Amino acid sequence: MEAVMIRIMKESDYDQVYELWQRIQGLGIRSIDDSKEYIIRFVKRNPTTSFVAVENDSIVGTLLCGHDGRRGCFYHVCVEPPYRKRGLATQMAEKALEALKQEGINKVNLMAFIKNELGNQFWQEKGWHMRDDINLYEYNLNPNNITTFNQ
C-alpha cells in the first residue's frame, strides 16, 4: 500500500474530488458553485492554496482554499471516513495556511455547519476560534445555485 501524499489540487482532479464530496455525509454541495466549471475557475484563481490527499492515484481528502487578497477561506475540507484520524486534514490545512502566508494573507476564515459536530470539534481542537461577535449573512444572486446535503 502506498503512503498518502498531500499535493496541490489540479484542474484534472475535479471528477475524483466531486465523487468524494458526494460520499461525505453532511457535506453541502452547491449546484453551480461546485460544478466543474466553477471549481476549475476557483483553482485557476487560487493555483497554490487548495490541496488533495492521494493514495494509489485515488483522492481521499480535499481542502479548497482561496483568498481575496485580504482574507483566506477554507471550503470543503473533508477526508474519506476510512482515512480519518491519520492527520490528513491537519496536513492539508497546514499546507494551505503556509501557502496563504506566502501570498501575504494574515487571517483565514472557515464556515462549519452547526450540525457538523465532527468538523466543529476538529477545528476547535486545532486552535481555531468560533466567533460570536458577528452574524453571517448570505445573499444569493442566482436562485438556481441550490445547496443539497449528502445523507
Side-chain angles (χ1 to χ4, degrees):
M1 184 180 292
E2 199 174 295
V4 178
M5 176 183 70
I6 307 298
R7 65 163 171 77
I8 291 176
M9 184 184 293
K10 302 180 290 191
E11 294 175 35
S12 59
D13 292 330
Y14 177 80
D15 292 335
Q16 279 195 61
V17 164
Y18 191 80
E19 287 172 14
L20 172 62
W21 291 345
Q22 290 181 308
R23 293 191 302 269
I24 300 297
Q25 184 177 3
L27 187 84
I29 299 175
R30 287 210 177 240
S31 57
I32 296 172
D33 294 342
D34 293 322
S35 69
K36 189 170 192 170
E37 174 188 356
Y38 276 66
I39 294 299
I40 288 174
R41 182 171 77 170
F42 183 88
V43 170
K44 282 182 178 178
R45 182 182 167 118
N46 303 280
T48 65
T49 56
S50 294
F51 291 86
V52 292
V54 182
E55 181 185 64
N56 296 323
D57 297 324
S58 294
I59 293 175
V60 299
T62 67
L63 185 150
L64 283 181
C65 175
H67 69 85
D68 60 9
R70 184 166 183 242
R71 297 284 184 261
C73 194
F74 285 2
Y75 307 92
H76 292 349
V77 182
C78 64
V79 175
E80 189 92 63
Y83 292 86
R84 292 178 183 166
K85 303 292 185 193
R86 296 187 191 183
L88 300 177
T90 300
Q91 291 175 53
M92 289 187 293
E94 288 170 352
K95 287 186 176 288
L97 292 171
E98 186 56 38
L100 289 170
K101 282 182 191 176
Q102 293 296 318
E103 296 194 27
I105 303 301
N106 297 306
K107 185 175 181 181
V108 184
N109 297 318
L110 67 85
M111 292 175 274
F113 290 107
I114 291 170
K115 292 181 179 181
N116 181 355
E117 292 175 15
L118 184 68
N120 284 295
Q121 180 182 356
F122 174 83
W123 294 113
Q124 289 173 16
E125 287 174 358
K126 298 299 176 193
W128 289 65
H129 304 283
M130 186 171 66
R131 294 188 61 171
D132 60 6
D133 61 332
I134 62 172
N135 293 320
L136 175 66
Y137 293 90
E138 179 179 274
Y139 187 85
N140 194 354
L141 294 172
N142 187 336
N144 296 318
N145 193 24
I146 299 166
T147 303
T148 56
F149 293 92
N150 300 332
Q151 300 298 321

